[in-house]
Amino acid sequence: MTQASLPNARRVALIVACAFFMQNLDGAIINTSLPQMAASFGVQPLDLSLGITIYMLMVAACVPASAWIADRFGARNVFLLAVIVFSASSLACGLATSLPMFVAARALQGIGGAMMTPVGRMVVLRHASKAELLQATALITWPALIAPVIGPVLGGVITTYVSWRWNFLLNVPLGIVGAWLVYRFVPNLRSDEDVALDVRGFALASTSLVCLLYGLESFGHAHGRASVALALAIAGLCVGALAMRHFQRVKQPLLDLASLRVQTFSMASVGAGNFFRMSINATPFLLPLLFQVGFGLSAIESGWLVLAYFAGNLGMKAVTTPTLQRFGFRSVLVINGLLAGLSLLACALLTRDTALPVTIAVMFIAGLTRSMQFTSLATLTFADIDGPQRNAAATLSTMTQQISMVLGVAVSALVIKMSQAWHGTTGTGLADFRAAFVAVGVLSIISALMFVRLPHDAGADVSGHRPKTSAA
């Protein structure tokens, strides 16, 4: 791909990023609307958790087949349909007048979301050369960084001053514009081979993900039964082992596991990277609780502090690419990962009486390091993956990210419950949140130390960083 094609690669990545932002923002703002939605439907707020759970389970059930569907029908066609389905189901969510109607709309929304993320990533990976991969990946990672942070604040404002329904209805005009951009500018790349669907592999992988994610998600709710959650998680792991065995034995598996043998992919997506993603995904869950429950601040005051975290995420984007070009993936992932872990440990030291500038500085630094590490991991994941492997690698990466997303919240909730038991209390206090931040901070530090095993020139074709020892 020539230098003249670079603007096209950026344009495709930006279009995909906008669709990702719509999807991530939708998931981030729904929690702020639960009381008002429950009042509209005449149910308890706890009953609305079914709408969140069904979305997650539908994503888990459909994601394993995304690579096969994209190869069979064309990546642009599938991505376009995913945007349309997601937008139409958002309209149905906003117009729902009862809990069953809302749950059905969320299930359909989950199907659209299951195709949107991995297939959108496939579109970008196929359209970008290795020289373009760093900038393209930086574009498609910002929604996952920004949406979970600004979502609760935006959702709270919309719910308070307009209506909870507009949290969903806003997706309609965004989806219409996005669908036109996808149709107009995204290439319809597809496989020339006509491969039959691996039905057994799909059934095993989907069952594994559904059981594992539902089991882990149950740990994060007070109403979840620990024994049932544990049984589901174990069942998911066992079925997952059967799925892995199946994929290694059949001639044309649903998921090609060859990318797992690539060190950069396995470390960034499955191994060390997952530890850090757990801490990344835990912080948007922990910070509002720390400020509102631990410090006793109002939702608005909490929102302003969380915006400092968002500002850090945004502020790092301009320097991520030159930093990776200057120092390489290994150095950045180790040093920045340690700084990220220390910033999370610093959150455990904050109190209501901490000077406001200090609290804002800690939030800003935590956002800076989170953004740098997240983008570095997302890029390194595919740095050494060749074109034919990228579809399967994108699906595998999406699956592991779904697990780490739920696992981060589950681990945080479990640590909080253990801290409550240790202190002999039923309510959640500042000490419990401190324990959770220590846990996720340690996870980040462990992840950073694991990246020491990377070679100094890991991902050099993408970052452009060539150590002197490598050149010799």
Side-chain angles (χ1 to χ4, degrees):
M1 198 168 289
T2 64
Q3 183 67 23
S5 70
L6 184 58
N8 289 332
R10 288 175 178 169
R11 182 171 58 195
V12 169
L14 185 59
I15 292 171
V16 172
C18 291
F20 284 4
F21 183 73
M22 177 178 67
Q23 180 185 7
N24 281 277
L25 188 64
D26 182 90
I29 64 179
I30 185 173
N31 288 321
T32 63
S33 308
L34 295 184
Q36 291 80 5
M37 293 169 65
S40 296
F41 297 154
V43 298
Q44 295 298 316
L46 192 61
D47 297 330
L48 267 298
S49 65
L50 181 59
I52 299 174
T53 301
I54 195 67
Y55 178 89
M56 178 195 70
L57 295 183
M58 292 305 297
V59 170
C62 298
V63 158
S66 58
W68 180 86
I69 294 173
D71 279 337
R72 184 67 177 269
F73 300 103
R76 184 195 62 189
N77 291 341
V78 176
F79 188 64
L80 175 61
L81 181 61
V83 173
I84 293 173
V85 169
F86 190 88
S87 304
S89 55
S90 295
L91 175 63
C93 287
L95 298 178
T97 57
S98 66
L99 180 59
M101 289 178 62
F102 177 72
V103 171
R106 285 286 287 175
L108 185 61
Q109 202 178 31
I111 296 174
M115 295 296 104
M116 195 182 299
T117 301
V119 176
R121 191 174 286 123
M122 291 173 202
V123 168
V124 173
L125 291 174
R126 284 185 171 189
H127 198 63
S129 66
K130 284 197 173 184
E132 300 165 338
L133 190 59
L134 180 55
Q135 292 180 330
T137 305
L139 282 174
I140 64 173
T141 53
W142 67 264
L145 286 167
I146 297 174
V149 180
I150 69 171
V153 179
L154 180 61
V157 171
I158 292 174
T159 302
T160 301
Y161 297 106
V162 189
S163 167
W164 66 264
R165 298 183 184 278
W166 280 98
N167 287 328
F168 297 100
L169 295 178
L170 283 176
N171 288 337
V172 178
L174 293 176
I176 292 172
V177 174
W180 180 82
L181 290 172
V182 171
Y183 179 78
R184 176 68 178 81
F185 296 110
V186 174
N188 192 35
L189 303 173
R190 61 189 302 170
S191 174
D192 295 329
E193 299 181 29
D194 189 10
V195 179
L197 176 64
D198 176 13
V199 177
R200 184 178 181 185
F202 173 62
L204 288 171
S206 296
T207 302
S208 172
L209 272 180
V210 168
C211 291
L212 181 59
L213 292 182
Y214 187 46
L216 293 174
E217 195 263 351
S218 297
F219 277 114
H221 291 83
H223 64 279
R225 293 178 56 185
S227 58
V228 175
L230 182 61
L232 283 170
I234 292 174
L237 290 173
C238 292
V239 177
L242 292 176
M244 297 282 284
R245 183 182 180 187
H246 169 80
F247 293 145
Q248 291 171 337
R249 291 188 171 190
V250 297
K251 185 177 180 180
Q252 294 181 323
L254 178 72
L255 293 176
D256 183 1
L257 303 182
S259 52
L260 294 175
R261 295 192 288 270
V262 178
Q263 184 188 28
T264 49
F265 177 86
S266 61
M267 287 193 69
S269 185
V270 181
N274 251 1
F275 283 101
F276 187 79
R277 286 191 180 92
M278 286 167 58
S279 64
I280 281 178
N281 291 310
T283 47
F285 164 73
L286 288 173
L287 284 175
L289 291 176
L290 173 69
F291 295 141
Q292 294 182 50
V293 180
F295 293 0
L297 301 178
S298 68
I300 297 297
E301 291 172 324
S302 170
W304 283 115
L305 288 176
V306 173
L307 281 180
Y309 188 59
F310 157 71
N313 280 283
L314 196 61
M316 182 57 76
K317 302 306 293 182
V319 299
T320 297
T321 297
T323 301
L324 286 171
Q325 291 172 339
R326 174 68 178 84
F327 299 103
F329 284 104
R330 181 182 183 272
S331 297
V332 169
L333 287 171
V334 172
I335 296 173
N336 184 74
L338 291 173
L339 293 175
L342 292 175
S343 69
L344 291 174
L345 293 178
C347 291
L349 300 177
L350 297 175
T351 68
R352 185 185 176 97
D353 297 326
T354 301
L356 182 60
V358 174
T359 301
I360 292 175
V362 170
M363 291 297 97
F364 187 74
I365 293 171
L368 288 174
T369 54
R370 176 179 184 256
S371 177
M372 174 65 76
Q373 200 78 349
F374 192 90
T375 302
S376 301
L377 287 173
T379 309
L380 183 64
T381 297
F382 302 101
D384 298 318
I385 299 297
D386 296 327
Q389 292 180 321
R390 286 184 174 181
N391 274 16
T395 302
L396 287 170
S397 176
T398 300
M399 291 166 62
T400 58
Q401 288 181 33
Q402 287 287 323
I403 294 172
S404 65
M405 184 188 308
V406 180
L407 194 56
V409 176
V411 168
S412 302
L414 183 60
V415 170
I416 289 173
K417 291 177 182 178
M418 292 173 63
S419 177
Q420 289 173 331
W422 175 266
H423 292 101
T425 60
T426 55
T428 307
L430 181 58
D432 305 318
F433 294 116
R434 284 177 170 171
F437 273 107
V438 169
V440 296
V442 169
L443 280 176
S444 178
I445 291 172
I446 291 173
S447 169
L449 295 176
M450 291 173 70
F451 281 114
V452 173
R453 294 185 291 128
L454 278 176
H456 288 276
D457 61 348
D461 290 341
V462 172
S463 68
H465 174 73
R466 300 287 180 181
K468 293 181 180 179
T469 54
S470 175

